[in-house]
Every structure is written in C-alpha cells, then in structure tokens.
C-alpha cells in the first residue's frame, strides 16, 4: 500500500488530503515478475529439458495462439496460467499439492485479484493428464481448455518425441522392452506410481497417442492431427529399426 497526497482546492486555499490507495501492478510488470519467478522455481528443482523454460514459453505461445483463434478466453489469465502451469510439478517435487500451494502463495504475495487467483488455480489444478484420467472428461473454462491443449500439443509431434526421450533419460526409464506391454486403462494411481518404470516407447501408447482425442478446442484438434501423424510414423520406423528390418 502506498500513501498518495491529493491537493484539493477549498475556496482559495489548497488543502492536502492524504488517502490510502493500492497501487495495482500493470499486467506487463506482473508477467515479467512471473517469468523471473518461474525461472527460479524450475532451476531450484533441477528440471530437465523436457520441462524447462523453453517448454513453458512454447506452451505460453501456443496457448495464446489457440485463445486468439478460439476468441473466447481471457488472454491475461491464459498467459499467467501458462507460465505457472509446471510450478512444483509432482514429477519433480514429489508432491501432488505443492503446485497449487506455491502458486496461490505467489499470487497472494503480489496482490493478484481474488477472482483471477481462483481462475488461475482452477487451470493449474485441472490441466494434468493424471487429473483427467482420475476424474473423467471435465467441463472446462475457455482458459483451461486452451492452456491444457497447448501443454498437450507440446507433448506430441517432433518436440513431444524429443521431450519424451529426454524425460526417460532423466529418471531413468528403459528405452524399450518387447516383453513389457503398455498398460491399458491406466489409472491415476498407476500413472503416478514412481516405483513403476514403464518404458519410454510404452509412454507413447499409454499417454501421448491418446492426447489428440483429448483436445478441448477446435484449434487444438487441428494442430494435433499433424503432430499425431508424425509420432505414428516415428514409431513405425522405430519398430522396423529395432527388429533390424530397416
């Protein structure tokens, strides 16, 4: 809070009145602060290149592009939620609740409006693949729809393939084992079970190849088609090379 002096004219004499006013941050200033906060957070948790700043920035750009194409989402909320969507990601923090807690504390610390805080938290808590397989297909806000689609678009296609193998090398996961079959009807609990080490190739069948059908926006579905086809072609070639047939 800052004190502001306002000079009022009463008759011929100026009278100074002290008023208290909350100085609201300009959206551009808050976005810059949020960018710095996100960079600090992902550095602290040692995110690998599958969930680094470049991923977050791509999701932001994709989400804003989808929002403009759809024409029904608040761009400020889309940008802030895109920037914050991987804060304290459970895959790195080990906590399913740390993301919402950390984001809420950050927004409150910077006096972000309450209604916007709720909207951003709803996106953060609803964006994940694990949340959707745990609760079924959800009714979403326009903002959640475009941020979620953007995050999923970055998980498929050429970038998605690169990210998948980067993540598999980080934790680490076996590249491929023909004796280990993909898990069908994957539950939230099984997906989050860190004791299981699914192969990187199986991750395509358990998650990535399903994402095209889980898009929420027309703009997202349109972009997903070519990315999905690229993954199918890659997997076909991978299997040929694995069996020394190409």
């Amino acid at each position: 809070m800052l004190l502001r002096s306002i000079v009022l004219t009463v008759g011929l004499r100026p009278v100074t009145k002290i008023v208290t006013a909350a100085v609201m941050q300009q959206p551009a200033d808050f976005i810059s602060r949020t960018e710095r906060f996100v960079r600090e957070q992902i550095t602290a948790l040692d995110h690998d290149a599958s969930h680094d700043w470049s991923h977050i920035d791509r999701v932001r750009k994709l989400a804003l592009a989808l929002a403009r194409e759809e024409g029904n989402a608040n761009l400020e909320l889309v940008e802030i939620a895109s920037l914050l969507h991987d804060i304290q990601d459970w895959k790195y923090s080990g906590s399913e609740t740390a993301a919402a807690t950390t984001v809420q504390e950050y927004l409150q610390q910077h006096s972000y409006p309450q209604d916007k805080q709720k909207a951003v938290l709803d996106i953060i808590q609803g964006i994940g693949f694990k949340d959707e397989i745990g609760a079924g297909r959800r009714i979403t806000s326009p903002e959640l729809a475009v941020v979620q689609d953007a995050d999923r678009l970055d998980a498929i296609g050429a970038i998605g393939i690169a990210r998948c193998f980067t993540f598999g090398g980080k934790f680490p996961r076996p590249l491929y084992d023909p004796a280990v079959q993909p898990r069908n009807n994957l539950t939230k609990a099984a997906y989050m079970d860190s004791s299981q080490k699914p192969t990187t190739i199986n991750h395509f069948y358990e998650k990535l190849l399903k994402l095209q059908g889980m898009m929420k926006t027309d703009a997202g579905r349109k972009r997903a088609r070519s990315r999905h086809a690229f993954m199918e072609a890659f997997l076909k070639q991978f299997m040929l090379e694995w069996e020394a047939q190409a």
Side-chain angles (χ1 to χ4, degrees):
M1 304 289 281
L2 295 181
L3 293 178
R4 288 180 174 174
S5 296
I6 300 177
V7 179
L8 305 177
T9 301
V10 179
L12 298 177
R13 295 182 302 165
V15 177
T16 300
K17 180 180 181 181
I18 306 298
V19 298
T20 302
V23 179
M24 300 299 295
Q25 299 179 82
Q26 294 300 315
D29 294 336
F30 186 58
I31 287 168
S32 295
R33 286 176 180 267
T34 303
E35 289 174 345
R36 291 194 295 272
F37 172 70
V38 171
R39 287 179 182 271
E40 291 168 359
Q41 287 282 313
I42 61 178
T43 298
L45 282 179
D46 192 27
H47 282 211
D48 59 274
S50 69
H51 291 79
D52 62 359
W53 170 254
S54 294
H55 160 67
I56 291 166
D57 195 35
R58 287 193 305 270
V59 170
R60 168 174 50 178
K61 290 173 182 176
L62 275 168
L64 288 171
L66 297 178
R68 292 185 179 102
E69 288 181 43
E70 293 291 306
N72 61 348
N74 181 303
L75 296 182
E76 178 189 334
L77 295 177
V78 167
E79 185 162 13
I80 295 299
S82 296
L83 287 170
L84 294 170
H85 84 276
D86 268 345
I87 292 297
Q88 293 290 324
D89 187 326
W90 66 273
K91 297 185 289 295
Y92 298 87
S93 69
S95 170
E96 191 177 357
T97 59
T101 300
T102 304
V103 168
Q104 185 171 31
E105 288 175 353
Y106 170 77
L107 296 175
Q108 289 176 343
Q109 178 186 355
H110 293 281
S111 301
Y112 201 55
Q114 286 292 328
D115 58 332
K116 293 183 178 181
Q117 283 189 41
K118 182 180 184 305
V120 170
L121 286 168
D122 284 347
I123 296 170
I124 301 299
Q125 293 175 305
I127 191 174
F129 178 76
K130 65 178 174 56
D131 302 303
E132 189 158 351
I133 61 174
R137 189 175 181 88
R138 296 184 175 198
I139 297 173
T140 65
S141 68
E143 293 78 21
L144 172 53
V146 296
V147 177
Q148 186 183 71
D149 278 7
D151 191 36
R152 291 177 176 179
L153 284 169
D154 205 57
I156 61 178
I159 290 288
I161 292 169
R163 291 182 63 218
C164 186
F165 283 95
T166 299
F167 185 85
K170 164 80 172 178
F171 278 89
R173 291 176 170 180
L175 182 64
Y176 176 56
D177 184 346
V180 179
Q181 295 298 305
R183 295 168 293 178
N184 294 319
N185 302 315
L186 193 62
T187 65
K188 179 179 179 180
Y191 179 72
M192 295 184 68
D193 185 354
S194 60
S195 68
Q196 298 189 36
K197 295 291 184 181
T199 71
T200 295
I201 288 297
N202 280 0
H203 188 64
F204 285 87
Y205 297 97
E206 293 173 353
K207 177 182 177 180
L208 305 187
L209 290 172
K210 297 178 180 179
L211 296 182
Q212 177 182 223
M214 298 172 73
M215 294 287 159
K216 302 299 189 302
T217 66
D218 289 339
R221 282 187 284 270
K222 178 181 177 181
R223 291 170 187 253
R225 284 195 287 269
S226 62
R227 296 184 184 223
H228 183 89
F230 190 92
M231 289 194 302
E232 290 182 319
F234 166 79
L235 290 168
K236 181 179 179 180
Q237 182 68 18
F238 180 94
M239 294 303 177
L240 289 173
E241 294 181 15
W242 185 270
E243 298 294 339
Q245 294 178 4

Short mmCIF file of all heavy atoms in Angstrom, two decimals, residues 164-207:
data_model
loop_
_atom_site.label_atom_id
_atom_site.label_comp_id
_atom_site.label_asym_id
_atom_site.label_seq_id
_atom_site.Cartn_x
_atom_site.Cartn_y
_atom_site.Cartn_z
N CYS A 164 9.95 -36.65 -24.68
CA CYS A 164 9.68 -37.96 -24.10
C CYS A 164 10.99 -38.70 -23.81
O CYS A 164 11.17 -39.27 -22.72
CB CYS A 164 8.81 -38.76 -25.05
SG CYS A 164 8.26 -40.36 -24.39
N PHE A 165 11.90 -38.69 -24.75
CA PHE A 165 13.17 -39.39 -24.55
C PHE A 165 14.07 -38.65 -23.56
O PHE A 165 14.84 -39.28 -22.82
CB PHE A 165 13.86 -39.62 -25.88
CG PHE A 165 13.26 -40.75 -26.65
CD1 PHE A 165 12.29 -40.51 -27.62
CD2 PHE A 165 13.61 -42.07 -26.40
CE1 PHE A 165 11.70 -41.55 -28.32
CE2 PHE A 165 13.03 -43.12 -27.09
CZ PHE A 165 12.07 -42.86 -28.05
N THR A 166 13.96 -37.33 -23.51
CA THR A 166 14.72 -36.56 -22.52
C THR A 166 14.25 -36.92 -21.11
O THR A 166 15.06 -37.16 -20.21
CB THR A 166 14.54 -35.05 -22.76
OG1 THR A 166 15.04 -34.72 -24.05
CG2 THR A 166 15.28 -34.23 -21.71
N PHE A 167 12.94 -36.97 -20.93
CA PHE A 167 12.37 -37.32 -19.62
C PHE A 167 12.74 -38.75 -19.25
O PHE A 167 13.09 -39.03 -18.10
CB PHE A 167 10.84 -37.16 -19.67
CG PHE A 167 10.16 -37.38 -18.36
CD1 PHE A 167 10.03 -36.34 -17.45
CD2 PHE A 167 9.63 -38.62 -18.02
CE1 PHE A 167 9.39 -36.53 -16.22
CE2 PHE A 167 8.99 -38.82 -16.80
CZ PHE A 167 8.88 -37.77 -15.90
N GLY A 168 12.66 -39.66 -20.23
CA GLY A 168 13.01 -41.05 -19.97
C GLY A 168 14.46 -41.24 -19.55
O GLY A 168 14.78 -42.13 -18.76
N GLY A 169 15.33 -40.39 -20.08
CA GLY A 169 16.73 -40.46 -19.69
C GLY A 169 17.01 -39.86 -18.34
O GLY A 169 17.96 -40.24 -17.66
N LYS A 170 16.18 -38.93 -17.91
CA LYS A 170 16.36 -38.23 -16.63
C LYS A 170 16.11 -39.15 -15.45
O LYS A 170 16.82 -39.12 -14.47
CB LYS A 170 15.43 -37.02 -16.59
CG LYS A 170 15.20 -36.40 -15.21
CD LYS A 170 16.32 -35.49 -14.78
CE LYS A 170 15.95 -34.76 -13.50
NZ LYS A 170 17.04 -33.88 -13.03
N PHE A 171 15.10 -40.03 -15.54
CA PHE A 171 14.61 -40.65 -14.31
C PHE A 171 15.21 -41.99 -13.84
O PHE A 171 15.22 -42.19 -12.61
CB PHE A 171 13.08 -40.69 -14.36
CG PHE A 171 12.53 -39.37 -13.92
CD1 PHE A 171 12.29 -38.34 -14.82
CD2 PHE A 171 12.34 -39.10 -12.58
CE1 PHE A 171 11.82 -37.10 -14.40
CE2 PHE A 171 11.87 -37.87 -12.15
CZ PHE A 171 11.61 -36.88 -13.06
N PRO A 172 15.76 -42.87 -14.52
CA PRO A 172 15.68 -43.12 -15.96
C PRO A 172 14.67 -44.23 -16.25
O PRO A 172 14.32 -45.02 -15.38
CB PRO A 172 17.08 -43.61 -16.28
CG PRO A 172 17.47 -44.35 -15.03
CD PRO A 172 16.78 -43.67 -13.88
N ARG A 173 14.25 -44.29 -17.49
CA ARG A 173 13.34 -45.36 -17.93
C ARG A 173 14.03 -46.19 -19.01
O ARG A 173 14.83 -45.65 -19.78
CB ARG A 173 12.06 -44.76 -18.51
CG ARG A 173 11.15 -44.09 -17.50
CD ARG A 173 9.96 -43.45 -18.18
NE ARG A 173 8.96 -43.00 -17.22
CZ ARG A 173 7.82 -42.40 -17.56
NH1 ARG A 173 7.55 -42.17 -18.84
NH2 ARG A 173 6.96 -42.03 -16.63
N PRO A 174 13.70 -47.48 -19.09
CA PRO A 174 14.22 -48.27 -20.21
C PRO A 174 13.73 -47.69 -21.53
O PRO A 174 12.62 -47.16 -21.61
CB PRO A 174 13.63 -49.67 -19.97
CG PRO A 174 13.20 -49.69 -18.54
CD PRO A 174 12.84 -48.28 -18.19
N LEU A 175 14.54 -47.80 -22.55
CA LEU A 175 14.14 -47.30 -23.86
C LEU A 175 12.95 -48.09 -24.40
O LEU A 175 11.91 -47.52 -24.75
CB LEU A 175 15.32 -47.40 -24.82
CG LEU A 175 15.12 -46.89 -26.24
CD1 LEU A 175 14.85 -45.39 -26.23
CD2 LEU A 175 16.35 -47.20 -27.10
N TYR A 176 13.10 -49.41 -24.43
CA TYR A 176 12.03 -50.27 -24.96
C TYR A 176 12.31 -51.70 -24.53
O TYR A 176 13.47 -52.11 -24.45
CB TYR A 176 11.96 -50.18 -26.49
CG TYR A 176 10.95 -51.10 -27.14
CD1 TYR A 176 9.61 -51.06 -26.77
CD2 TYR A 176 11.34 -52.01 -28.12
CE1 TYR A 176 8.68 -51.90 -27.36
CE2 TYR A 176 10.42 -52.85 -28.73
CZ TYR A 176 9.08 -52.79 -28.34
OH TYR A 176 8.16 -53.62 -28.92
N ASP A 177 11.26 -52.43 -24.25
CA ASP A 177 11.37 -53.85 -23.91
C ASP A 177 10.14 -54.54 -24.50
O ASP A 177 9.03 -54.34 -24.01
CB ASP A 177 11.42 -54.04 -22.40
CG ASP A 177 11.62 -55.50 -22.00
OD1 ASP A 177 11.46 -56.39 -22.86
OD2 ASP A 177 11.91 -55.76 -20.82
N PRO A 178 10.32 -55.36 -25.54
CA PRO A 178 9.17 -56.01 -26.17
C PRO A 178 8.36 -56.88 -25.21
O PRO A 178 7.18 -57.14 -25.44
CB PRO A 178 9.81 -56.87 -27.27
CG PRO A 178 11.13 -56.21 -27.55
CD PRO A 178 11.58 -55.66 -26.24
N ALA A 179 8.98 -57.31 -24.12
CA ALA A 179 8.29 -58.17 -23.16
C ALA A 179 7.37 -57.38 -22.23
O ALA A 179 6.52 -57.96 -21.54
CB ALA A 179 9.30 -58.95 -22.33
N VAL A 180 7.55 -56.05 -22.18
CA VAL A 180 6.73 -55.20 -21.31
C VAL A 180 5.66 -54.53 -22.15
O VAL A 180 5.95 -53.67 -22.98
CB VAL A 180 7.60 -54.15 -20.60
CG1 VAL A 180 6.71 -53.25 -19.72
CG2 VAL A 180 8.69 -54.80 -19.78
N GLN A 181 4.43 -54.92 -21.94
CA GLN A 181 3.32 -54.38 -22.72
C GLN A 181 2.81 -53.06 -22.15
O GLN A 181 2.87 -52.83 -20.93
CB GLN A 181 2.17 -55.39 -22.77
CG GLN A 181 2.50 -56.69 -23.49
CD GLN A 181 2.85 -56.43 -24.94
OE1 GLN A 181 2.08 -55.82 -25.69
NE2 GLN A 181 4.03 -56.89 -25.35
N PRO A 182 2.32 -52.15 -22.99
CA PRO A 182 1.72 -50.90 -22.48
C PRO A 182 0.55 -51.22 -21.55
O PRO A 182 -0.17 -52.20 -21.74
CB PRO A 182 1.23 -50.20 -23.75
CG PRO A 182 2.04 -50.79 -24.86
CD PRO A 182 2.30 -52.21 -24.46
N ARG A 183 0.38 -50.40 -20.55
CA ARG A 183 -0.72 -50.59 -19.59
C ARG A 183 -2.01 -50.02 -20.16
O ARG A 183 -2.08 -48.84 -20.51
CB ARG A 183 -0.37 -49.90 -18.27
CG ARG A 183 0.82 -50.51 -17.56
CD ARG A 183 1.31 -49.62 -16.42
NE ARG A 183 1.87 -48.36 -16.91
CZ ARG A 183 2.32 -47.39 -16.12
NH1 ARG A 183 2.25 -47.52 -14.81
NH2 ARG A 183 2.82 -46.28 -16.64
N ASN A 184 -3.01 -50.86 -20.25
CA ASN A 184 -4.32 -50.43 -20.72
C ASN A 184 -5.16 -49.92 -19.55
O ASN A 184 -4.99 -50.35 -18.41
CB ASN A 184 -5.06 -51.58 -21.41
CG ASN A 184 -4.38 -52.01 -22.69
OD1 ASN A 184 -3.91 -51.18 -23.46
ND2 ASN A 184 -4.29 -53.32 -22.91
N ASN A 185 -6.09 -49.00 -19.84
CA ASN A 185 -6.98 -48.45 -18.80
C ASN A 185 -6.18 -47.95 -17.60
O ASN A 185 -6.46 -48.29 -16.45
CB ASN A 185 -8.00 -49.51 -18.37
CG ASN A 185 -8.83 -50.01 -19.53
OD1 ASN A 185 -9.31 -49.23 -20.35
ND2 ASN A 185 -8.99 -51.33 -19.62
N LEU A 186 -5.18 -47.16 -17.88
CA LEU A 186 -4.28 -46.64 -16.85
C LEU A 186 -5.05 -45.78 -15.85
O LEU A 186 -5.81 -44.89 -16.22
CB LEU A 186 -3.18 -45.81 -17.52
CG LEU A 186 -1.97 -45.42 -16.69
CD1 LEU A 186 -1.21 -46.66 -16.22
CD2 LEU A 186 -1.05 -44.52 -17.51
N THR A 187 -4.86 -46.05 -14.56
CA THR A 187 -5.49 -45.26 -13.51
C THR A 187 -4.57 -44.13 -13.07
O THR A 187 -3.36 -44.15 -13.34
CB THR A 187 -5.82 -46.13 -12.28
OG1 THR A 187 -4.58 -46.58 -11.72
CG2 THR A 187 -6.68 -47.32 -12.66
N LYS A 188 -5.13 -43.17 -12.36
CA LYS A 188 -4.33 -42.07 -11.83
C LYS A 188 -3.25 -42.60 -10.89
O LYS A 188 -2.09 -42.18 -10.95
CB LYS A 188 -5.23 -41.07 -11.11
CG LYS A 188 -4.46 -39.90 -10.49
CD LYS A 188 -5.42 -38.93 -9.81
CE LYS A 188 -4.65 -37.77 -9.17
NZ LYS A 188 -5.55 -36.80 -8.50
N ALA A 189 -3.64 -43.54 -10.02
CA ALA A 189 -2.68 -44.09 -9.05
C ALA A 189 -1.53 -44.79 -9.76
O ALA A 189 -0.36 -44.62 -9.39
CB ALA A 189 -3.39 -45.04 -8.10
N ALA A 190 -1.84 -45.57 -10.77
CA ALA A 190 -0.79 -46.29 -11.51
C ALA A 190 0.10 -45.32 -12.27
O ALA A 190 1.32 -45.49 -12.33
CB ALA A 190 -1.42 -47.31 -12.46
N TYR A 191 -0.51 -44.31 -12.85
CA TYR A 191 0.26 -43.31 -13.61
C TYR A 191 1.25 -42.58 -12.71
O TYR A 191 2.37 -42.26 -13.12
CB TYR A 191 -0.71 -42.32 -14.26
CG TYR A 191 -0.04 -41.23 -15.06
CD1 TYR A 191 0.56 -41.51 -16.29
CD2 TYR A 191 -0.02 -39.92 -14.59
CE1 TYR A 191 1.16 -40.50 -17.03
CE2 TYR A 191 0.59 -38.90 -15.32
CZ TYR A 191 1.18 -39.21 -16.55
OH TYR A 191 1.79 -38.21 -17.27
N MET A 192 0.86 -42.32 -11.46
CA MET A 192 1.70 -41.56 -10.54
C MET A 192 2.65 -42.43 -9.73
O MET A 192 3.49 -41.91 -8.98
CB MET A 192 0.81 -40.75 -9.58
CG MET A 192 -0.02 -39.68 -10.24
SD MET A 192 -0.95 -38.71 -9.04
CE MET A 192 0.37 -37.83 -8.19
N ASP A 193 2.55 -43.74 -9.85
CA ASP A 193 3.37 -44.65 -9.05
C ASP A 193 4.82 -44.61 -9.53
O ASP A 193 5.16 -45.16 -10.57
CB ASP A 193 2.81 -46.07 -9.17
CG ASP A 193 3.53 -47.05 -8.26
OD1 ASP A 193 4.54 -46.67 -7.63
OD2 ASP A 193 3.09 -48.22 -8.19
N SER A 194 5.68 -43.96 -8.75
CA SER A 194 7.07 -43.79 -9.15
C SER A 194 7.87 -45.08 -9.09
O SER A 194 8.98 -45.16 -9.63
CB SER A 194 7.74 -42.73 -8.27
OG SER A 194 7.71 -43.12 -6.90
N SER A 195 7.33 -46.11 -8.41
CA SER A 195 8.05 -47.38 -8.34
C SER A 195 7.97 -48.14 -9.65
O SER A 195 8.79 -49.03 -9.91
CB SER A 195 7.49 -48.25 -7.20
OG SER A 195 6.17 -48.69 -7.50
N GLN A 196 6.98 -47.81 -10.47
CA GLN A 196 6.86 -48.45 -11.78
C GLN A 196 7.76 -47.70 -12.77
O GLN A 196 7.84 -46.48 -12.76
CB GLN A 196 5.42 -48.42 -12.27
CG GLN A 196 4.46 -49.20 -11.36
CD GLN A 196 3.08 -49.34 -11.98
OE1 GLN A 196 2.95 -49.50 -13.19
NE2 GLN A 196 2.05 -49.30 -11.14
N LYS A 197 8.43 -48.46 -13.61
CA LYS A 197 9.33 -47.88 -14.60
C LYS A 197 8.88 -48.28 -16.00
O LYS A 197 9.46 -49.18 -16.62
CB LYS A 197 10.77 -48.35 -14.34
CG LYS A 197 11.36 -47.86 -13.03
CD LYS A 197 11.60 -46.35 -13.06
CE LYS A 197 12.28 -45.88 -11.78
NZ LYS A 197 12.51 -44.42 -11.79
N PRO A 198 7.83 -47.66 -16.52
CA PRO A 198 7.39 -48.00 -17.86
C PRO A 198 8.45 -47.61 -18.88
O PRO A 198 9.23 -46.68 -18.65
CB PRO A 198 6.12 -47.16 -18.05
CG PRO A 198 6.31 -46.00 -17.12
CD PRO A 198 7.06 -46.54 -15.94
N THR A 199 8.49 -48.31 -19.98
CA THR A 199 9.49 -47.96 -21.00
C THR A 199 9.08 -46.65 -21.68
O THR A 199 7.91 -46.26 -21.68
CB THR A 199 9.62 -49.05 -22.06
OG1 THR A 199 8.44 -49.07 -22.87
CG2 THR A 199 9.82 -50.43 -21.43
N THR A 200 10.07 -45.99 -22.23
CA THR A 200 9.79 -44.73 -22.93
C THR A 200 8.86 -44.96 -24.11
O THR A 200 7.94 -44.16 -24.35
CB THR A 200 11.11 -44.08 -23.38
OG1 THR A 200 11.87 -43.72 -22.22
CG2 THR A 200 10.85 -42.83 -24.21
N ILE A 201 9.07 -46.03 -24.86
CA ILE A 201 8.20 -46.31 -26.00
C ILE A 201 6.78 -46.58 -25.54
O ILE A 201 5.80 -46.11 -26.16
CB ILE A 201 8.75 -47.48 -26.84
CG1 ILE A 201 10.00 -47.05 -27.60
CG2 ILE A 201 7.69 -48.00 -27.82
CD1 ILE A 201 9.79 -45.96 -28.63
N ASN A 202 6.61 -47.28 -24.43
CA ASN A 202 5.26 -47.55 -23.93
C ASN A 202 4.53 -46.26 -23.55
O ASN A 202 3.29 -46.20 -23.59
CB ASN A 202 5.30 -48.49 -22.73
CG ASN A 202 5.47 -49.94 -23.14
OD1 ASN A 202 5.55 -50.24 -24.33
ND2 ASN A 202 5.54 -50.84 -22.17
N HIS A 203 5.27 -45.23 -23.17
CA HIS A 203 4.64 -43.96 -22.81
C HIS A 203 3.86 -43.37 -23.99
O HIS A 203 2.85 -42.68 -23.78
CB HIS A 203 5.71 -42.97 -22.33
CG HIS A 203 5.15 -41.72 -21.74
ND1 HIS A 203 4.39 -41.69 -20.59
CD2 HIS A 203 5.22 -40.41 -22.17
CE1 HIS A 203 4.04 -40.45 -20.32
NE2 HIS A 203 4.52 -39.65 -21.26
N PHE A 204 4.31 -43.64 -25.19
CA PHE A 204 3.56 -43.18 -26.36
C PHE A 204 2.16 -43.82 -26.38
O PHE A 204 1.17 -43.13 -26.64
CB PHE A 204 4.30 -43.53 -27.65
CG PHE A 204 5.50 -42.66 -27.92
CD1 PHE A 204 6.74 -42.99 -27.40
CD2 PHE A 204 5.39 -41.52 -28.69
CE1 PHE A 204 7.85 -42.19 -27.64
CE2 PHE A 204 6.49 -40.71 -28.94
CZ PHE A 204 7.72 -41.05 -28.41
N TYR A 205 2.11 -45.10 -26.10
CA TYR A 205 0.84 -45.83 -26.17
C TYR A 205 -0.04 -45.59 -24.94
O TYR A 205 -1.27 -45.60 -25.04
CB TYR A 205 1.11 -47.32 -26.35
CG TYR A 205 1.81 -47.62 -27.65
CD1 TYR A 205 3.20 -47.78 -27.70
CD2 TYR A 205 1.11 -47.68 -28.86
CE1 TYR A 205 3.86 -48.01 -28.90
CE2 TYR A 205 1.77 -47.92 -30.07
CZ TYR A 205 3.14 -48.07 -30.07
OH TYR A 205 3.79 -48.29 -31.26
N GLU A 206 0.59 -45.36 -23.80
CA GLU A 206 -0.17 -45.14 -22.58
C GLU A 206 -0.71 -43.72 -22.46
O GLU A 206 -1.73 -43.49 -21.82
CB GLU A 206 0.71 -45.44 -21.36
CG GLU A 206 1.08 -46.91 -21.25
CD GLU A 206 2.09 -47.20 -20.15
OE1 GLU A 206 2.62 -46.24 -19.55
OE2 GLU A 206 2.35 -48.39 -19.89
N LYS A 207 -0.03 -42.77 -23.10
CA LYS A 207 -0.45 -41.36 -22.97
C LYS A 207 -0.44 -40.58 -24.28
O LYS A 207 -1.46 -40.07 -24.71
CB LYS A 207 0.43 -40.65 -21.94
CG LYS A 207 0.09 -39.16 -21.79
CD LYS A 207 1.01 -38.47 -20.80
CE LYS A 207 0.71 -36.98 -20.71
NZ LYS A 207 1.61 -36.27 -19.75
#
